[in-house]
Amino acid sequence: GAGVSQSPSNKVTEKGKDVELRCDPISGHTALYWYRQSLGQGLEFLIYFQGNSAPDKSGLPSDRFSAERTGGSVSTLTIQRTQQEDSAVYLCASSPRSIGNQPQHFGDGTRLSIL
Amino acid sequence: QQQVKQSPQSLIVQKGGISIINCAYENTAFDYFPWYQQFPGKGPALLIAIRPDVSEKKEGRFTISFNKSAKQFSLHIMDSQPGDSATYFCAASPYMKTSYDKVIFGPGTSLSVIP
């Protein structure tokens, strides 16, 4: 019964570099979410994958951010040309179905630091 | 209209006291209201959830009170313990799949229970 797994747990990179963050959802979960959490702040929605439907990208803050979900399972969040304001914890969550009453199961996040 | 408001932003309670966190929403399509608990360095985890067909739900020391007419709901933690010190997020979503089924989170409340 593995939970949501995110890697790496910590990432330090220089401004201007590209980074990839990975999320392995719970097996069989069709919905997958990415959130950003700045220090001491709430959850900022980024993107939502729902089965085979087109993802809801309405929360992506700029075109430097993109995400993919391959085979309905693993997801990768990519940030290009990183900026210092991108420093945050990036959280991934999955849920069994795409309707709203299913609890979201969160990973422990990737702490991203941009120097 | 998609916002969920949450107060207070931070809360300090003596051990054994009652912690109360309040949330409010506007979208009448919301009819599922979960609460998540987040410890430092961890992802949020579902604590307790309620649907508006009941006015109260209790699980152990945790109780959700719901006021449908006022569109408000609150979390009460009875006999608060230092181990309850965490950040608490209320959330709202439609129970059934609609054209808008994303979970909306409140901004969070940082609870500190002091011995």
Side-chain angles (χ1 to χ4, degrees):
Chain A
V4 176
S5 177
Q6 292 188 245
S7 60
S9 55
N10 286 283
K11 177 72 175 179
V12 180
T13 193
E14 294 180 346
K15 176 183 172 181
K17 300 285 189 182
D18 297 351
V19 295
E20 284 189 353
L21 312 180
R22 177 185 169 105
C23 173
D24 281 274
I26 293 173
S27 178
H29 282 194
T30 59
L32 187 148
Y33 308 77
W34 283 98
Y35 296 91
R36 179 168 68 177
Q37 187 174 33
S38 300
L39 185 64
Q41 300 298 308
L43 302 170
E44 177 188 4
F45 166 78
L46 297 178
I47 188 169
Y48 165 36
F49 294 90
Q50 173 187 311
N52 294 321
S53 301
D56 178 349
K57 303 179 181 181
S58 61
L60 294 178
S62 77
D63 59 7
R64 296 187 296 105
F65 288 72
S66 63
E68 291 185 341
R69 188 177 185 191
T70 54
S73 181
V74 172
S75 178
T76 302
L77 177 69
T78 300
I79 309 173
Q80 296 179 311
R81 305 181 303 280
T82 52
Q83 304 294 312
Q84 288 186 331
E85 60 263 28
D86 299 335
S87 296
V89 175
Y90 289 81
L91 291 162
C92 174
S94 68
S95 64
R97 288 182 289 167
S98 58
I99 57 176
N101 66 320
Q102 296 299 308
Q104 295 188 22
H105 299 258
F106 284 83
D108 288 336
T110 294
R111 183 175 300 277
L112 177 63
S113 300
I114 309 299
L115 303 179
Chain B
Q1 193 182 17
Q2 304 303 340
Q3 260 190 329
V4 174
K5 297 179 181 179
Q6 184 173 349
S7 63
Q9 185 176 12
S10 62
L11 181 61
I12 300 174
V13 173
Q14 289 267 339
K15 178 183 175 181
I18 303 173
S19 304
I20 302 174
I21 304 170
N22 300 299
C23 287
Y25 65 99
E26 295 181 357
N27 190 341
T28 55
F30 291 151
D31 58 2
Y32 176 69
F33 304 91
W35 285 86
Y36 285 81
Q37 179 187 53
Q38 184 180 30
F39 293 106
K42 298 293 186 181
L46 180 69
L47 183 64
I48 186 173
I50 195 169
R51 291 203 62 213
D53 50 350
V54 296
S55 60
E56 186 174 284
K57 182 174 181 179
K58 184 176 181 179
E59 291 185 1
R61 296 184 294 107
F62 300 90
T63 300
I64 301 178
S65 298
F66 190 87
N67 185 330
K68 186 173 182 178
S69 61
K71 290 185 282 187
Q72 296 175 346
F73 58 109
S74 60
L75 176 70
H76 291 63
I77 307 175
M78 311 300 289
D79 187 27
S80 299
Q81 299 296 312
D84 297 330
S85 297
T87 299
Y88 293 81
F89 294 96
C90 62
S93 71
Y95 185 72
M96 296 300 294
K97 183 171 175 59
T98 66
S99 60
Y100 186 88
D101 58 4
K102 199 159 54 191
V103 176
I104 304 298
F105 285 87
T109 296
S110 176
L111 171 65
S112 296
V113 180
I114 54 178

